[in-house]
Amino acid sequence: MVEFAPLFVPLERRLQTFAVLQLIFSYLALHLIFCIVFIGLLFTRFWMISILYAIWWYLDRDTPRQAGRQSAFIKHWTIWKYMKDYFPISLVKTAELDPSRNYLAGFHPHGVLATGAFINLCTEGTGFSSVFPGIRSYLMMMHWCFWVPIYRDYIMFSGLVSSDKETADHILSRKGGGNLLSIVVGGVQESLTARPGAYKLVLRNRKGFIRLALMHGADLVPIFSFGENDIYEQVENSPGSWLRWFQDQLHKSIRGSIPAFYGRGIFQYSFGLMPYRRPITTVVGKPIEVQKTLHPSQEEVDRLHQRYMKELENLFEAHKLKYNVPRDQHLEIC
């Protein structure tokens, strides 16, 4: 039976719902619309618009791998505040970040859409620049997103950058420090296990970001986002199921996949693609000091990786009771 939302709700909540609807639309449909418009214009009398943009696109092709093009104006849009209040989302600092240093952060878990990562690290919805003064935040996103006309420019404005080694090298080697590059380490593979109450991380064999930290002497920052997995349900896709087989094959073929997720609707609570109103609290851990090693050995990488996993587990254990995680629940790292 469908459970409908009340007909009369405060305007504030309506605006929160609209803000999140815009986010879901941007994730799932906006890139397709931009592609259709770009191609469609070529067959109209406005074809020159697409041609001129294509020239710009070519000339600007390296920008996503060179720290993008952040816009303070867009990062301070009021819509991000409404989006933050929908869940709500909060950002917790456990230690200072020295603006004279560069940092490489691992964000865990991915969740279905990495909502906490985007709101906290790419917008001023939770006041990142006030919480960490002097730090400029970047978040890596799948590189194919920067192949989409117009969409690429839109996402770069908020601090999203291409998930390439070249991008990391460029940001982490910047003189003067004050840069925080965040990677959602578990990626698409981890998103396939994101569901309420799940604390399974894809991390044990993810060591590329550790090597990057060593090569650039960038301090590692573990980040755990409590509630990230709670805002959506997923269709049962346990290993061995036909759905999981299809998702795994898709991941092997195109390095991407599609979580079969669902939540609530706009005017009812029973089904839809809107996330549930459940809190997300993103806790930024204490930096792990890293000495620069231009050519780290595998042993050095493994040692730092073990320390990183231990610090992440400590961060989770130290804060889990505050955010309604059972005392006997621990991280499952695979």
Side-chain angles (χ1 to χ4, degrees):
M1 185 171 180
V2 178
E3 180 185 359
F4 287 96
L7 185 59
F8 300 103
V9 297
L11 177 61
E12 185 84 3
R13 288 178 69 86
R14 290 293 189 206
L15 291 173
Q16 291 168 8
T17 300
F18 170 78
V20 174
L21 178 62
Q22 179 269 336
L23 180 67
I24 303 308
F25 175 76
S26 297
Y27 276 143
L28 303 180
L30 191 59
H31 55 293
L32 296 175
I33 291 174
F34 280 139
C35 279
I36 292 170
V37 170
F38 176 77
I39 296 171
L41 284 175
L42 292 171
F43 300 94
T44 71
R45 59 195 178 99
F46 302 106
W47 58 271
M48 184 57 71
I49 295 175
S50 290
I51 296 299
L52 290 174
Y53 182 83
I55 295 171
W56 155 255
W57 188 2
Y58 176 78
L59 295 174
D60 194 55
R61 63 190 182 280
D62 292 330
T63 301
R65 296 189 296 274
Q66 295 176 352
R69 188 184 299 109
Q70 291 195 22
S71 166
F73 171 71
I74 289 178
K75 288 168 78 78
H76 282 85
W77 275 355
T78 303
I79 195 171
W80 310 128
K81 301 282 188 183
Y82 286 116
M83 203 175 291
K84 176 261 295 186
D85 291 336
Y86 174 93
F87 294 94
I89 296 174
S90 55
L91 179 65
V92 175
K93 175 174 70 174
T94 64
E96 297 291 342
L97 296 184
D98 182 354
S100 68
R101 299 280 296 172
N102 286 328
Y103 298 92
L104 181 57
F107 187 96
H108 315 270
H110 185 289
V112 170
L113 298 176
T115 306
F118 177 75
I119 297 300
N120 282 305
L121 303 175
C122 294
T123 80
E124 285 297 321
T126 55
F128 180 90
S129 64
S130 298
V131 178
F132 295 105
I135 301 295
R136 172 170 285 199
S137 176
Y138 302 89
L139 178 65
M140 282 191 155
M141 189 175 187
M142 290 182 293
H143 58 87
W144 66 262
C145 295
F146 298 91
W147 301 344
V148 181
I150 309 171
Y151 185 74
R152 66 185 290 277
D153 300 284
Y154 174 64
I155 60 179
M156 278 195 291
F157 284 144
S158 61
L160 287 162
V161 293
S162 180
S163 56
D164 297 294
K165 182 179 180 298
E166 183 181 339
T167 305
D169 290 338
H170 181 86
I171 293 173
L172 297 178
S173 62
R174 281 185 159 184
K175 303 296 183 183
N179 299 289
L180 173 72
L181 175 63
S182 299
I183 303 174
V184 187
V185 181
V188 173
Q189 189 177 348
E190 191 173 273
S191 73
L192 300 179
T193 63
R195 49 175 44 87
Y199 296 94
K200 186 175 183 179
L201 304 182
V202 178
L203 175 59
R204 194 166 300 280
N205 295 316
R206 301 284 171 102
K207 301 179 182 180
F209 74 108
I210 300 292
R211 186 176 295 276
L212 278 170
L214 283 165
M215 290 170 62
H216 293 281
D219 292 349
L220 284 165
V221 181
I223 301 177
F224 194 88
S225 195
F226 292 90
E228 193 73 43
N229 284 343
D230 296 341
I231 62 175
Y232 279 113
E233 299 282 354
Q234 279 204 58
V235 175
E236 176 58 38
N237 65 337
S238 56
S241 65
W242 69 268
L243 176 58
R244 189 53 172 271
W245 176 85
F246 171 76
Q247 291 171 327
D248 289 341
Q249 292 303 310
L250 194 61
H251 184 250
K252 290 177 182 177
S253 300
I254 64 173
R255 306 303 299 168
S257 196
I258 307 172
F261 66 93
Y262 61 93
R264 50 162 289 185
I266 301 173
F267 301 112
Q268 45 76 28
Y269 301 133
S270 301
F271 59 89
L273 295 179
M274 289 287 289
Y276 296 114
R277 286 180 178 264
R278 294 171 182 169
I280 297 174
T281 305
T282 301
V283 182
V284 181
K286 181 181 178 181
I288 302 168
E289 187 174 347
V290 177
Q291 297 297 321
K292 187 173 183 177
T293 309
L294 285 178
H295 303 286
S297 66
Q298 189 60 50
E299 181 182 354
E300 289 171 315
V301 171
D302 291 343
R303 189 186 309 120
L304 183 56
H305 185 253
Q306 286 295 324
R307 185 182 174 194
Y308 177 86
M309 290 194 294
K310 183 62 178 176
E311 292 296 333
L312 179 63
E313 289 176 326
N314 291 341
L315 182 68
F316 176 80
E317 294 294 333
H319 294 272
K320 67 181 184 182
L321 297 181
K322 303 174 192 174
Y323 307 115
N324 301 315
V325 178
R327 185 180 297 275
D328 61 352
Q329 176 67 62
H330 306 289
L331 290 181
E332 181 184 352
I333 297 179
C334 59

